[in-house]
Amino acid sequence: MIHYMITTTFLIAGVGGGVAALVFALFKTRWIYRQSPGSEDLQRISGYVSEGAMAFLSREYRVLIPFVIIVAAFLAVANTGSLRLQSIAFLLGALTSGLAGFIGMRVATASNSRTTHAATNGLNPALKVAFSGGTVMGMSVVGLVLLGASSILIAGSWLYGDDPDTIQYTILPILSGFSLGASSIALFSRVGGGIFTKAADVGADLVGKVEAGIPEDDPRNPATIADNVGDNVGDVAGMGADLFESFVGSLVGSMILALTVDAPVDMRLRLFAFPIILSAVGLLSSMIGVFFVRAREGISPQKALNAGTFGASLLAALLTILTAYLLVGGQSFAGAGMWHLVGSVLIGLVAGVSIGLLTEMFTGTDTYPVNQIVESCQTGAATTIITGVGMGMLSTVFPILIIGATILISFMLTGLFGIAIAALGMLITLGIQLAVDAYGPIADNAGGLAVMAGYPAGVRDITDELDSVGNTTAAIGKGFAIGSAALTAIILFTSFREQAGAGDINLMDVRVLVGILLGAVIPYLFSALAMNAIGKAAFLMIEEVRRQFKQKPGILTDTEKPDYGRCVDISTASALKQMLIPGIIAALTPVLVGFLGGIDMLVGVLVGVTASGVVLAIFMANSGGAWDNAKKMIEGGAGGGRGSEAHKASVVGDTVGDPFKDTAGPALNILIKLMAVVSLVIAPMLMAYWG
Amino acid sequence: MIHYMITTTFLIAGVGGGVAALVFALFKTRWIYRQSPGSEDLQRISGYVSEGAMAFLSREYRVLIPFVIIVAAFLAVANTGSLRLQSIAFLLGALTSGLAGFIGMRVATASNSRTTHAATNGLNPALKVAFSGGTVMGMSVVGLVLLGASSILIAGSWLYGDDPDTIQYTILPILSGFSLGASSIALFSRVGGGIFTKAADVGADLVGKVEAGIPEDDPRNPATIADNVGDNVGDVAGMGADLFESFVGSLVGSMILALTVDAPVDMRLRLFAFPIILSAVGLLSSMIGVFFVRAREGISPQKALNAGTFGASLLAALLTILTAYLLVGGQSFAGAGMWHLVGSVLIGLVAGVSIGLLTEMFTGTDTYPVNQIVESCQTGAATTIITGVGMGMLSTVFPILIIGATILISFMLTGLFGIAIAALGMLITLGIQLAVDAYGPIADNAGGLAVMAGYPAGVRDITDELDSVGNTTAAIGKGFAIGSAALTAIILFTSFREQAGAGDINLMDVRVLVGILLGAVIPYLFSALAMNAIGKAAFLMIEEVRRQFKQKPGILTDTEKPDYGRCVDISTASALKQMLIPGIIAALTPVLVGFLGGIDMLVGVLVGVTASGVVLAIFMANSGGAWDNAKKMIEGGAGGGRGSEAHKASVVGDTVGDPFKDTAGPALNILIKLMAVVSLVIAPMLMAYWG
């Protein structure tokens, strides 16, 4: 009976939901491709971006494949018995996450030019194309996670049965391999992508704007295509892979913790099924939410997008209540009932939105912190940096208070499982949330293409308006990504502790204390390496652009064509090379600490890396965001305006902020989750090793 | 018998050693005052600095006194029975630490001008005066700690007896009040001083150098005296109070942990006496080491100072073996013997020096990181900042590895007590270490005075040579201060756990986890407030200097005298006002968390604040130090030299680095110790409250 229920549930909610999302994405994709790709010039230039993005992906996957094969082989060899299937699940995780990135990038680059062209017909058509592009990304991510995870669960229960012990010690460890696969792609996309995008940006700006004196987004600049590709790589594929990882992680973590709830078998299995059903419910709400996004005359794009996300959230909340009623009803488990479960979901949902809004309050145009930075620009670059650092540091307090409160309250409601449910609740409307996130870079790229393809100024005005909304949603998305990374990491290492069979971890054990200290320093090492990598990659890019200008003097007079491909290639190769060392550090530290220092010390490291990493990530993301908007405010006329000394200072701030917010900060999201997932995957080996 | 032994030990080692150190300091002081104070101009200008320093101290103490009275009253009222004496111990701690700061500043400001004048006779006489000034500071700190702590211990055992339980639950809690007193002064001196010195610096530079175009250290600049006072306040009184706090903290912590060793009463009491004897032995070694510092022709000042510190360290190591032999001999305790004890001391000693040397390797002139920054200055201020941040982050890894190894090894040798002994071992030669630290600002001030009093250029060359050595010693001293703060904080919260009667602290308890997260964010909040405070204080200073230049136009033509006092006063008032909120946060957080969240959550907060705070402190101190030296290298002709674009970029780096390294970074040392000490002091109340 139970068996039947679970398989049915996973078939309907997981496989069914996943397929529905992919079909939805397919329809949206076909609609996008039916839109006009615009003028010939636009098609040609957009083709370069599209080709560049695919060049990045294909090279990334070429680097990835040997890596993935090595890890899969390791999992097949190091494990025994049924756990060897971890390697298959790992491959599936890498494949689905990679596929989601591929689809997202492909459609985003197809939507760019179509958004530009649609903007000739006004704001609303352009919004519709850009948002549809984002929707494909969002639906693909959620659909592939649901499909992949439930396939593994169904296959696992079909192979090994479904009593709770089998699920906990055989099937869920296999599923954690899926999570590791997703994390590997996230590492390459988010960290490699983060290095790529900034190297391209710096190279394009420094040689093109400063040395050659040509404007931004000028097609004569050989690095300009790489710069536009970078936006897609970093903000579409990178953000998607990051949240794919969070989603899988919270799903796996919450299923593991469901089985540890002190309740009868039947109830534990119901709770075990809850995360998948919840995800399906969230997906349904997101799909419906997409239809709420209708820009009409008199309604700003921001309001249209808000209608979608808030509508989806409200619907998801209502459906959560229904789900909890059907699953738990009047029964209780470990002192909690259906309303406690609903409470945990809602707290996560509210926390995610609150962290996003806080991010906006600390980095948005015309907010107190950004105004302070604008003022400090009057006294030069040094005060600009000091104020930005101070404001970024200050901004860390409130999200941490929210995360802390979320943990405490959700734990009080439903124990450790409650925290996991809150983490999942934060991501419940991920489908539409990601759609809104990915919309930003599409609108941004559309603007760049409009300039390069010589569209009239009115088109750029429209894409600029879409883009300015994109900046706000990007800020919210970033806060969201960090918040969910924190909660995901916490439930993953909590799950690790369960799966490794460790009991209480004594904080006063010196190995644990030293583990926390070591963990606290890793985010700094990781950030330092990531920022250092940008310098090296940018250096190669600068050399290349200079070389092209020198060897093909016709480029500047429009008589020769720059070699865009080489710039993309150089940035790609360098980014992927530079991310190897930080990647290896992140992946090997848990293995080394786990086998040399023990399980307790590893938990210490994970706690240290999470606590220190989350705070550092918020600091870097928010300082960077605030500097960015301070510069935009000054360029908009505040505090002296374009060309003033204050403007120069604000450019310094923005340049410092770029690697903070687009490379090091987001990379930390991956770091903390990846280290926890690696630990979770090796938990059975550690348990066997330490006895 | 035991009673007799302990009292005798404390009388001889503690009171005797303390008095000896103070007598030594007195002799040095009298010798300094016998040296010529130089020309009339020099005496007059040095008088301003001296008056300014005293003005700062007297105003600081006026703010402090009500604060101290309130805390003392709270301790007298909130405690019951014999623990009420905590308030007296607290007053004594505040008094002795304040006295040490007063003596240090008084003698340092007297040594400044005498060093300038001695420099007319050559390098060696100048070195001798400057180092003697530092020696007074070093000996006063160590002497007052020993005298104060042993007086309380003797009085306590005389009042209440000396069985281990009485010592642990009555006398040592009273002694922790002494530690809190020291921490309170450290908070005001280090944080308030850090704000003061940077506000004065920025004010002097911005209006004097930039707006009025007069050189640095020009007596026409009204803020120049405040700037020189700032060096004394920050680097002499601040550093002294910081290490006073570390020394008291490790002393108290190691005595508490001695009593928890699993050994017979007799042995526990011997171990309990060990820290005081060890301190006395280190003091003796430092005093002898002072005589090794003899600059002769052909020997650089650096070598002379090294002879002193390394000689003292070697001697201390030998005497430690003798002490351990006499105290423990062939007996064993909890599986350890005298050599394990010696090992713990030496590991601490080596760790302290290693962290110092690492600091030098990451911030010193012509090191790889600083050369990288110099190179990045070629491409502007933004890359200067990015590279400096990256290098600072990278530099955090190695000190943390050393601290981690120190904890693990010393724990393996002698358990928790071993960690405490390592912390004390790091500070064993504090007398001479502080002398070397305080020598730097004296040499720096002597140079400033030489310029202001119109001494020939040769004198400035000599003080510059002394000063350049001072920069290296300052870097080492900073690393040392952070390392000892980390270890002190760790043994203090370990002691807190013991004194609060808590058993194992389960890291997987959500309150503990949330505590760690909250703890991790506090250093960021504290740093943000400290850096923000500089901006506000500097603003008032800038206004005042502008006002003086405007209302007294004769200042610039040397026909009117600037009002130095007002500048000192403004910077002082503002610094003390601005440090209130961070101070209150640091002091009240443990109280709130302890009473609202519980003892376990408080331990979590302390662990989080220590792990996150230490890493952040190293990052900020080293980034700042590296930017400083990159600027000096460029001013010395590297990478374009003075006046180049690279020089401008390096000035931005240095200006950003100043609050990093002189305010926020060092303030974090205080934060982590203060929060642990506050917890330790309220431990009996928490134990009573939570039952």
Side-chain angles (χ1 to χ4, degrees):
Chain A
M1 176 62 207
I2 290 168
H3 184 159
Y4 178 75
M5 186 195 92
I6 285 189
T7 309
T8 316
T9 307
F10 287 172
L11 265 177
I12 297 174
V15 178
V19 169
L22 294 176
V23 170
F24 190 89
L26 186 66
F27 273 98
K28 278 279 168 195
T29 306
R30 290 179 58 172
W31 180 84
I32 291 166
Y33 276 91
R34 277 202 306 274
Q35 307 309 305
S36 162
S39 72
E40 245 178 62
D41 262 2
L42 180 62
Q43 289 188 44
R44 184 172 51 80
I45 293 169
S46 133
Y48 296 142
V49 175
S50 174
E51 278 164 32
M54 287 304 126
F56 173 83
L57 278 188
S58 73
R59 194 184 252 276
E60 181 188 290
Y61 292 159
R62 261 182 289 157
V63 178
L64 253 169
I65 288 170
F67 170 83
V68 165
I69 291 175
I70 291 170
V71 175
F74 170 79
L75 292 175
V77 171
N79 276 307
T80 52
S82 52
L83 286 179
R84 288 182 197 276
L85 286 181
Q86 259 190 353
S87 64
I88 307 284
F90 169 77
L91 289 174
L92 194 64
L95 195 73
T96 44
S97 177
L99 190 61
F102 178 82
I103 295 172
M105 291 267 283
R106 183 107 211 159
V107 174
T109 51
S111 311
N112 296 340
S113 55
R114 289 169 173 85
T115 303
T116 310
H117 190 77
T120 56
N121 299 325
L123 186 66
N124 298 341
L127 171 69
K128 197 173 175 197
V129 177
F131 181 69
S132 296
T135 304
V136 174
M137 178 76 196
M139 292 304 153
S140 305
V141 165
V142 178
L144 285 165
V145 169
L146 270 180
L147 190 59
S150 14
S151 305
I152 291 174
L153 288 167
I154 292 170
S157 70
W158 176 70
L159 282 169
Y160 304 110
D162 60 358
D163 65 292
D165 266 10
T166 308
I167 295 177
Q168 189 172 358
Y169 294 110
T170 304
I171 300 177
L172 286 177
I174 293 174
L175 188 62
S176 69
F178 183 76
S179 192
L180 182 65
S183 289
S184 306
I185 303 293
L187 178 72
F188 280 80
S189 294
R190 191 60 138 158
V191 185
I195 298 170
F196 177 98
T197 180
K198 285 306 121 185
D201 191 20
V202 170
D205 278 9
L206 217 72
V207 188
K209 275 196 340 202
V210 180
E211 290 182 15
I214 52 179
E216 201 166 335
D217 290 328
D218 190 298
R220 288 172 295 175
N221 190 336
T224 195
I225 294 295
D227 191 7
N228 276 280
V229 169
D231 291 343
N232 289 290
V233 168
D235 293 342
V236 178
M239 175 68 95
D242 189 347
L243 287 163
F244 189 108
E245 183 192 22
S246 281
F247 190 31
V248 174
S250 356
L251 208 53
V252 174
S254 55
M255 290 172 115
I256 291 174
L257 294 173
L259 293 176
T260 66
V261 171
D262 183 21
V265 175
D266 172 68
M267 180 51 81
R268 276 158 68 204
L269 287 175
R270 282 165 187 270
L271 295 178
F272 167 70
F274 185 61
I276 289 276
I277 304 177
L278 194 63
S279 307
V281 154
L283 175 64
L284 183 66
S285 313
S286 293
M287 284 199 263
I288 296 171
V290 166
F291 292 101
F292 294 165
V293 180
R294 285 173 184 277
R296 270 163 303 179
E297 287 313 315
I299 291 184
S300 70
Q302 182 71 66
K303 280 205 178 131
L305 293 174
N306 286 350
T309 47
F310 287 112
S313 299
L314 195 67
L315 193 60
L318 294 174
L319 289 176
T320 298
I321 298 174
L322 186 68
T323 310
Y325 174 73
L326 291 174
L327 210 68
V328 179
Q331 291 175 268
S332 73
F333 57 96
M338 65 162 277
W339 287 108
H340 295 92
L341 217 50
V342 172
S344 293
V345 175
L346 295 187
I347 283 164
L349 195 61
V350 170
V353 175
S354 312
I355 294 175
L357 291 176
L358 271 172
T359 309
E360 171 64 15
M361 279 172 59
F362 269 94
T363 63
T365 305
D366 222 18
T367 55
Y368 173 78
V370 176
N371 281 329
Q372 289 292 104
I373 295 176
V374 169
E375 201 177 295
S376 71
C377 288
Q378 304 301 323
T379 39
T383 45
T384 305
I385 300 294
I386 294 173
T387 308
V389 167
M391 288 300 162
M393 287 186 160
L394 198 61
S395 77
T396 60
V397 177
F398 309 96
I400 293 291
L401 288 178
I402 289 178
I403 292 172
T406 304
I407 294 173
L408 286 178
I409 299 173
S410 58
F411 179 82
M412 278 195 285
L413 289 172
T414 21
L416 287 178
F417 180 58
I419 303 176
I421 288 300
L424 209 54
M426 193 178 271
L427 296 170
I428 189 168
T429 54
L430 181 61
I432 194 163
Q433 179 68 40
L434 251 179
V436 173
D437 278 352
Y439 147 95
I442 293 173
D444 187 18
N445 260 255
L449 291 174
V451 172
M452 288 191 271
Y455 269 67
V459 170
R460 175 77 195 220
D461 289 343
I462 285 178
T463 61
D464 274 355
E465 193 177 340
L466 291 179
D467 187 23
S468 75
V469 176
N471 283 329
T472 305
T473 61
I476 294 178
K478 262 173 196 141
F480 212 78
I482 295 175
S484 78
L487 281 182
T488 304
I490 289 169
I491 63 164
L492 282 173
F493 67 65
T494 310
S495 304
F496 161 68
R497 200 272 312 247
E498 294 289 343
Q499 293 295 75
D504 288 355
I505 309 282
N506 182 14
L507 181 54
M508 293 289 106
D509 178 339
V510 285
R511 286 170 311 145
V512 177
L513 262 183
V514 171
I516 293 178
L517 268 176
L518 280 184
V521 87
I522 292 175
Y524 285 79
L525 173 61
F526 201 74
S527 301
L529 292 174
M531 294 208 296
N532 202 14
I534 297 170
K536 289 185 187 162
F539 179 77
L540 293 175
M541 181 66 108
I542 289 168
E543 299 263 287
E544 171 62 20
V545 178
R546 280 184 185 153
R547 190 192 63 77
Q548 289 200 22
F549 279 149
K550 204 172 158 194
Q551 293 182 356
K552 301 181 177 183
I555 291 178
L556 284 173
T557 53
D558 255 335
T559 54
E560 269 182 289
K561 210 196 103 186
D563 186 349
Y564 302 125
R566 253 190 87 80
C567 284
V568 172
D569 211 48
I570 281 175
S571 205
T572 307
S574 174
L576 292 173
K577 190 178 147 204
Q578 296 297 334
M579 61 140 302
L580 269 184
I581 293 176
I584 288 171
I585 290 173
L588 280 193
T589 304
V591 179
L592 289 176
V593 173
F595 284 102
L596 298 177
I599 292 168
D600 290 15
M601 186 167 181
L602 178 51
V603 174
V605 168
L606 296 177
V607 170
V609 85
T610 304
S612 161
V614 172
V615 183
L616 187 60
I618 300 173
F619 156 53
M620 296 188 97
N622 286 355
S623 288
W627 277 318
D628 187 4
N629 276 327
K631 188 190 79 171
K632 286 196 177 122
M633 278 183 70
I634 289 179
E635 288 178 348
R642 227 178 247 273
S644 63
E645 283 300 311
H647 183 227
K648 282 185 197 157
S650 76
V651 170
V652 172
D654 183 45
T655 312
V656 171
D658 263 353
F660 273 39
K661 74 178 198 302
D662 293 328
T663 310
L668 292 174
N669 297 352
I670 308 299
L671 174 75
I672 62 178
K673 286 179 288 183
L674 180 63
M675 286 184 63
V677 170
V678 170
S679 307
L680 186 61
V681 167
I682 62 170
M685 300 178 212
L686 286 174
M687 192 154 76
Y689 180 81
W690 292 102
Chain B
M1 175 61 205
I2 290 168
H3 184 161
Y4 178 75
M5 187 196 90
I6 286 190
T7 309
T8 316
T9 306
F10 287 173
L11 263 178
I12 296 174
V15 178
V19 170
L22 294 176
V23 170
F24 190 90
L26 185 67
F27 272 98
K28 280 278 169 193
T29 307
R30 291 180 56 172
W31 180 84
I32 290 165
Y33 276 92
R34 277 203 306 274
Q35 307 307 305
S36 162
S39 72
E40 245 176 62
D41 263 0
L42 181 62
Q43 287 187 43
R44 184 174 50 81
I45 294 169
S46 132
Y48 296 141
V49 175
S50 173
E51 277 164 35
M54 287 304 125
F56 173 82
L57 279 188
S58 73
R59 193 183 252 274
E60 180 188 290
Y61 292 159
R62 259 182 291 156
V63 177
L64 253 169
I65 287 169
F67 170 83
V68 165
I69 290 174
I70 291 169
V71 176
F74 169 78
L75 291 175
V77 172
N79 277 307
T80 52
S82 51
L83 286 179
R84 289 182 195 276
L85 285 182
Q86 259 189 354
S87 65
I88 307 284
F90 169 77
L91 289 175
L92 194 64
L95 195 73
T96 45
S97 178
L99 189 61
F102 178 81
I103 296 173
M105 292 267 282
R106 182 108 212 160
V107 173
T109 50
S111 310
N112 295 341
S113 56
R114 288 169 173 86
T115 302
T116 311
H117 190 76
T120 56
N121 299 324
L123 186 66
N124 298 341
L127 171 68
K128 197 173 175 192
V129 177
F131 182 68
S132 295
T135 304
V136 173
M137 178 75 198
M139 293 303 155
S140 306
V141 165
V142 179
L144 285 165
V145 169
L146 270 180
L147 191 60
S150 11
S151 305
I152 292 173
L153 288 167
I154 293 171
S157 71
W158 176 71
L159 282 169
Y160 303 110
D162 59 0
D163 66 291
D165 267 9
T166 308
I167 295 177
Q168 191 174 355
Y169 293 109
T170 305
I171 300 178
L172 286 177
I174 293 174
L175 189 63
S176 69
F178 183 75
S179 193
L180 182 64
S183 289
S184 307
I185 302 293
L187 178 71
F188 280 81
S189 294
R190 192 58 138 162
V191 186
I195 299 170
F196 177 97
T197 181
K198 286 306 120 185
D201 192 18
V202 171
D205 278 9
L206 218 72
V207 189
K209 274 193 347 200
V210 181
E211 291 182 14
I214 52 178
E216 200 167 333
D217 289 329
D218 191 299
R220 287 171 298 175
N221 189 334
T224 194
I225 296 294
D227 192 7
N228 276 279
V229 169
D231 291 343
N232 289 290
V233 168
D235 294 342
V236 178
M239 175 67 96
D242 189 348
L243 286 164
F244 188 108
E245 183 192 22
S246 281
F247 190 31
V248 175
S250 357
L251 208 54
V252 174
S254 56
M255 290 169 117
I256 290 174
L257 294 174
L259 293 176
T260 66
V261 171
D262 182 22
V265 174
D266 172 66
M267 180 52 80
R268 277 156 69 203
L269 287 175
R270 280 166 189 269
L271 295 179
F272 167 69
F274 186 62
I276 289 276
I277 304 177
L278 194 64
S279 306
V281 155
L283 175 64
L284 183 67
S285 311
S286 293
M287 284 199 261
I288 296 170
V290 167
F291 291 102
F292 295 164
V293 181
R294 283 172 185 281
R296 271 164 304 177
E297 287 314 314
I299 291 182
S300 70
Q302 182 69 67
K303 280 204 176 132
L305 293 175
N306 285 349
T309 45
F310 287 112
S313 298
L314 195 68
L315 193 61
L318 294 174
L319 289 176
T320 298
I321 297 175
L322 186 68
T323 310
Y325 174 73
L326 290 175
L327 209 68
V328 179
Q331 289 173 269
S332 73
F333 57 96
M338 66 164 274
W339 288 107
H340 295 91
L341 215 51
V342 172
S344 293
V345 175
L346 296 187
I347 283 165
L349 195 61
V350 170
V353 174
S354 310
I355 295 175
L357 291 176
L358 273 173
T359 308
E360 171 63 14
M361 280 170 58
F362 269 93
T363 62
T365 306
D366 222 16
T367 55
Y368 174 77
V370 176
N371 281 328
Q372 289 292 104
I373 295 176
V374 168
E375 203 177 292
S376 71
C377 288
Q378 304 302 320
T379 39
T383 46
T384 305
I385 300 294
I386 294 173
T387 308
V389 167
M391 288 298 162
M393 287 186 160
L394 198 61
S395 77
T396 58
V397 178
F398 309 97
I400 293 292
L401 288 178
I402 290 179
I403 293 171
T406 304
I407 294 173
L408 286 179
I409 299 174
S410 59
F411 179 81
M412 278 196 282
L413 290 172
T414 21
L416 287 179
F417 180 58
I419 304 175
I421 288 300
L424 209 54
M426 194 178 271
L427 296 170
I428 187 169
T429 53
L430 181 61
I432 193 162
Q433 180 67 39
L434 252 181
V436 173
D437 279 351
Y439 146 95
I442 293 174
D444 188 17
N445 260 254
L449 289 175
V451 172
M452 286 192 273
Y455 268 67
V459 169
R460 176 75 196 221
D461 289 343
I462 286 177
T463 60
D464 273 355
E465 194 177 336
L466 291 179
D467 187 22
S468 74
V469 175
N471 282 330
T472 305
T473 61
I476 295 179
K478 263 173 196 141
F480 211 81
I482 295 174
S484 77
L487 282 181
T488 303
I490 288 169
I491 63 165
L492 281 173
F493 68 65
T494 309
S495 304
F496 162 67
R497 201 269 315 241
E498 295 289 343
Q499 293 294 79
D504 287 355
I505 309 285
N506 182 14
L507 182 52
M508 292 290 106
D509 178 339
V510 284
R511 285 171 311 145
V512 176
L513 263 183
V514 172
I516 291 177
L517 268 177
L518 279 185
V521 88
I522 293 175
Y524 286 78
L525 173 62
F526 201 74
S527 300
L529 292 174
M531 293 207 297
N532 202 15
I534 297 171
K536 289 186 188 161
F539 178 77
L540 293 175
M541 180 65 109
I542 290 168
E543 299 262 284
E544 170 62 22
V545 177
R546 281 184 185 153
R547 189 193 63 78
Q548 289 200 23
F549 279 147
K550 201 172 159 194
Q551 293 183 358
K552 300 181 176 183
I555 291 179
L556 283 174
T557 52
D558 255 336
T559 53
E560 268 183 290
K561 212 194 102 184
D563 186 350
Y564 302 126
R566 254 191 86 80
C567 284
V568 172
D569 211 48
I570 281 174
S571 204
T572 307
S574 175
L576 292 173
K577 189 179 150 206
Q578 295 297 332
M579 61 141 300
L580 270 183
I581 292 175
I584 288 171
I585 289 172
L588 280 194
T589 304
V591 179
L592 289 176
V593 173
F595 283 102
L596 298 177
I599 292 169
D600 290 15
M601 187 167 181
L602 178 50
V603 173
V605 168
L606 297 177
V607 169
V609 84
T610 304
S612 161
V614 171
V615 183
L616 187 59
I618 300 174
F619 156 53
M620 297 190 96
N622 286 355
S623 286
W627 278 317
D628 186 4
N629 275 326
K631 189 190 79 171
K632 285 195 176 123
M633 276 182 72
I634 289 178
E635 287 179 347
R642 228 177 246 274
S644 63
E645 282 301 309
H647 183 227
K648 281 184 199 156
S650 76
V651 170
V652 172
D654 183 45
T655 313
V656 172
D658 263 353
F660 273 39
K661 74 178 198 302
D662 294 327
T663 310
L668 292 174
N669 297 350
I670 308 299
L671 173 75
I672 62 178
K673 287 179 287 184
L674 180 63
M675 286 184 62
V677 170
V678 170
S679 307
L680 187 61
V681 167
I682 61 171
M685 298 176 212
L686 285 174
M687 193 155 74
Y689 180 79
W690 291 100

